[in-house]
């Protein structure tokens, strides 16, 4: 069983690559962004709370996200493995993930970082906004999300490097090439 954190800025291709890895390996996929968007669609209490943060390009508070992560994880059959997509986004979340997995006799096996230049991220997200219907895929919010990424999430690169878990992959080129790079790392774990 493998626990894999897929990491990268907004627009780096985490969701697309996660889907491909799910197809290939049969992993479960936890996308905290998807969980929140589903809650918004359902109009649940969580959805109401999440809405303003998301459309503002800000992160949902750690304590709430950590609870959501644990309940999502516990509802899954994790025997093959899990891909964490969009979580952790802060050091506090990374520490909470480590603790949650340790309590369940497990751990993060690898952090796979999709490295994409900022100009390319902007371009991709603006393109995606034309069809995604996502409230946060507009130029103003994209800029905020990239700032938040730089300030709150990018420090995790150092954190996972220190933990000896970080693997950096070029996040542009064909989807198949990127997927082959990720798969090679997973196969070596
Ligand atoms: P994503 O689909 O991963 O780009 O997430 C979309 C939005 O959901 C983010 O911009 C945040 O507002 C919120 N979100 C998703 N995951 C997290 C997380 N782990 N911590 C805080 N906020 C999150």
């Amino acid at each position: 069983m493998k626990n894999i954190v897929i990491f990268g800025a907004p627009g780096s291709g985490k969701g697309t690559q996660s889907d491909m890895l799910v197809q290939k390996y049969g992993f479960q996929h936890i996308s905290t962004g998807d969980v929140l968007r589903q809650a918004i669609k359902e109009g649940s209490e969580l959805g109401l709370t999440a809405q303003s943060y998301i459309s503002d390009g800000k992160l949902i508070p750690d304590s709430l996200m950590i609870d959501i992560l644990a309940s999502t994880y516990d509802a899954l059959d994790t025997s093959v493995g899990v891909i964490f997509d969009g979580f952790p986004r802060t050091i506090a979340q990374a520490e909470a993930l480590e603790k949650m997995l340790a309590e369940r006799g497990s751990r993060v096996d690898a952090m796979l970082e999709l490295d994409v230049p900022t100009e390319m991220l902007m371009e991709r997200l603006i393109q995606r906004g034309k069809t995604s219907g996502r409230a946060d895929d507009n130029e103003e919010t994209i800029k905020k999300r990239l700032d938040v990424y730089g300030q709150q999430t990018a420090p995790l690169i150092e954190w996972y490097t220190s933990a000896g878990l970080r693997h950096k992959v070029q996040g542009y080129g064909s989807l198949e090439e990127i997927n082959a790079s990720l798969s090679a790392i997973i196969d070596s774990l």
Side-chain angles (χ1 to χ4, degrees):
M1 170 206 179
K2 304 253 184 293
N3 290 303
I4 292 162
V5 170
I6 190 146
F7 185 89
S12 58
K14 301 186 293 294
T16 305
Q17 289 297 330
S18 294
D19 288 343
M20 291 171 80
L21 294 172
V22 164
Q23 287 295 323
K24 180 161 180 184
Y25 293 94
F27 295 137
Q28 297 280 357
H29 176 204
I30 300 180
S31 157
T32 45
D34 284 351
V35 170
L36 296 170
R37 280 185 290 277
Q38 183 61 30
I40 291 173
K41 218 160 121 194
E42 287 165 2
S44 66
E45 203 174 313
L46 168 63
L48 292 177
T49 308
Q51 199 153 24
S52 59
Y53 289 100
I54 292 186
S55 52
D56 238 7
K58 293 189 181 137
L59 298 184
I60 276 76
D62 283 334
S63 56
L64 181 55
M65 279 320 297
I66 290 163
D67 286 350
I68 294 168
L69 197 267
S71 55
T72 307
Y73 182 86
D74 286 336
L76 296 176
D77 170 2
T78 57
S79 53
V80 176
V82 178
I83 300 184
F84 296 90
D85 162 9
F87 191 103
R89 266 179 153 96
T90 63
I91 305 259
Q93 290 182 14
E95 287 169 351
L97 177 61
E98 198 178 32
K99 181 161 172 276
M100 182 197 84
L101 291 174
E103 284 166 0
R104 289 156 179 76
S106 193
R107 66 188 183 98
V108 171
D109 295 283
M111 180 271 224
L112 309 182
E113 177 193 349
L114 292 170
D115 186 40
V116 179
T118 310
E119 318 79 68
M120 213 182 268
L121 296 169
M122 274 303 289
E123 228 170 84
R124 283 187 187 180
L125 289 166
I126 288 169
Q127 275 307 113
R128 185 173 84 183
K130 292 179 183 163
T131 53
S132 70
R134 279 180 53 161
D136 56 351
D137 280 346
N138 61 75
E139 198 162 341
E140 192 193 339
T141 315
I142 291 167
K143 282 195 184 126
K144 282 196 206 155
R145 287 159 65 204
L146 292 173
D147 275 355
V148 166
Y149 170 79
Q151 284 167 24
Q152 295 180 259
T153 307
L156 283 172
I157 295 173
E158 196 51 48
W159 196 89
Y160 277 110
T161 303
S162 302
L165 295 172
R166 173 189 171 219
H167 304 261
K168 183 161 116 175
V169 161
Q170 179 179 300
Y172 51 95
S174 75
L175 293 181
E176 289 70 27
E177 272 165 6
I178 301 167
N179 198 253
S181 310
L182 296 174
S183 298
I185 298 164
I186 293 170
D187 292 340
S188 74
L189 294 174

